[in-house]
Amino acid sequence: MSYTHLIREHYPQLTKSEKKVADFILSAQEKIIYSTMSDIKKHTNVGDATIIRFCQKLGFSGFSDLKIAIAKEDFSHQATSDTAVNFADLVSKRLADAILATKQLINIDHINQAVDYINQAHQIYIFGVGSSGNTAVDLESLFLRAGIQAKAITDPHFQAQVASLLTEDDLVIAFSLSGKTKDTFDSIAIAKKNHAKIISITNYLLSPIAQQGDVVLQTAIEEFLNGGSLAGKISQLYLCDVLVNGYERKNNIDTLALKETVLRSILDKSLD
């Protein structure tokens, strides 16, 4: 049974406050999986206990369990509609759509502000965990080829230690598609307390990690049930490339000379 049918079936037995939660979820539909209990409380003026009781009356252990069920239902609908499409075409379209969707969210003023922070920074660190940690390492490599020495840190404990030693002259670039990754948030909160500049790269402008940022670059891929998806990573990498190219253009970097220098440094690493 779908979650909408489940809600409507139990609706007569719900209290007045629980019906507010039901109405909000029905109006939000699949977007509810990207909401938090705080979001629901804000829109319905009910407490945590009401939300939990509502979920339990539907047969779920709590709000997270309900969101997973909604995400699974949405994923199943998408999978069913995709069966008639050539899977290779489907994958290529999904990745192309990720780039186009991210492009539409680009704010050039924010890119320029981020480039200014990079130019001014004494030290640059890139924070991310999980798949976003892999993107942090990729950005470190892209920076190196542009002549920027930055350090990607993907271990949360090490992030916290480094953040505790930063100053107002330093910069942290933080990756999190959801904007709610606790380890990353905790680390940049420490950096923020020490007055380091923060560039947040995330989907949601109102997310906790975005709110910590001095400037926010917005990705476009939601992946509640598909964490670490290639489309999500492509969205992040596209922004990384835009950021690096923005730095090169603003500083009139001779990219050809840099590429030659890097190439010559690794030529003897190839087998004949």
Side-chain angles (χ1 to χ4, degrees):
M1 181 182 297
S2 73
Y3 74 93
T4 55
H5 290 151
L6 198 59
I7 291 174
R8 291 190 175 104
E9 184 180 76
H10 288 79
Y11 198 85
Q13 287 77 46
L14 300 178
T15 66
K16 185 177 180 180
S17 294
E18 290 166 354
K19 286 179 179 177
K20 290 182 180 179
V21 178
D23 292 340
F24 177 69
I25 291 177
L26 288 172
S27 65
Q29 297 185 356
E30 288 79 10
K31 291 181 180 179
I32 197 69
I33 62 179
Y34 304 108
S35 298
T36 63
M37 287 183 63
S38 295
D39 294 329
I40 293 181
K41 289 191 292 183
K42 178 181 177 181
H43 286 88
T44 61
N45 295 314
V46 303
D48 291 346
T50 299
I51 299 171
I52 293 172
R53 282 198 304 270
F54 165 78
C55 295
Q56 290 176 340
K57 283 187 177 180
L58 298 186
F60 302 103
S61 61
F63 184 52
S64 294
D65 197 26
L66 171 60
K67 288 204 297 183
I68 290 172
I70 294 173
K72 288 170 63 178
E73 183 177 327
D74 183 48
F75 186 83
S76 296
H77 288 161
Q78 292 182 29
T80 301
S81 64
D82 290 342
T83 54
V85 181
N86 180 295
F87 70 90
D89 291 341
L90 180 65
V91 170
S92 64
K93 183 179 184 305
R94 188 177 297 144
L95 298 184
D97 287 347
I99 292 176
L100 291 174
T102 309
K103 177 180 178 294
Q104 292 174 354
L105 295 175
I106 284 180
N107 184 316
I108 293 300
D109 290 338
H110 290 177
I111 295 292
N112 289 332
Q113 182 64 69
V115 169
D116 287 341
Y117 287 149
I118 292 169
N119 280 329
Q120 298 161 8
H122 175 61
Q123 299 180 97
I124 302 174
Y125 291 96
I126 313 166
F127 290 176
V129 298
S131 178
S132 289
N134 293 334
T135 304
V137 174
D138 290 332
L139 180 56
E140 177 186 332
S141 177
L142 288 171
F143 272 156
L144 186 61
R145 293 174 182 272
I148 304 170
Q149 295 192 40
K151 179 62 179 176
I153 302 179
T154 60
D155 179 272
H157 290 193
F158 194 24
Q159 285 178 5
Q161 293 175 56
V162 168
S164 70
L165 300 175
L166 298 180
T167 72
E168 61 185 7
D169 297 321
D170 300 320
L171 170 67
V172 173
I173 302 173
F175 285 97
S176 170
L177 285 175
S178 70
K180 301 174 185 176
T181 308
K182 186 178 186 303
D183 287 331
T184 304
F185 175 82
D186 290 345
S187 298
I188 64 172
I190 296 170
K192 189 78 171 180
K193 186 176 180 181
N194 288 327
H195 307 292
K197 292 291 188 295
I198 309 293
I199 298 174
S200 297
I201 302 180
T202 181
N203 272 8
Y204 306 105
L205 298 179
L206 298 179
S207 66
I209 287 175
Q211 293 296 297
Q212 289 288 320
D214 294 286
V215 65
V216 181
L217 306 182
Q218 197 174 3
T219 48
I221 301 301
E222 300 174 336
E223 51 168 27
F224 180 77
L225 196 63
N226 195 23
S229 72
L230 183 56
K233 187 172 179 64
I234 288 294
S235 182
Q236 290 176 326
L237 288 176
Y238 171 68
L239 272 183
C240 289
D241 211 21
V242 169
L243 184 60
V244 171
N245 273 269
Y247 171 84
E248 291 173 340
R249 289 173 180 270
K250 192 161 190 174
N251 291 279
N252 296 313
I253 302 294
D254 187 345
T255 55
L256 181 60
L258 267 177
K259 291 179 185 299
E260 180 183 352
T261 299
V262 172
L263 176 61
R264 289 185 181 279
S265 73
I266 60 173
L267 276 178
D268 64 350
K269 303 295 184 183
S270 300
L271 295 172
D272 292 333

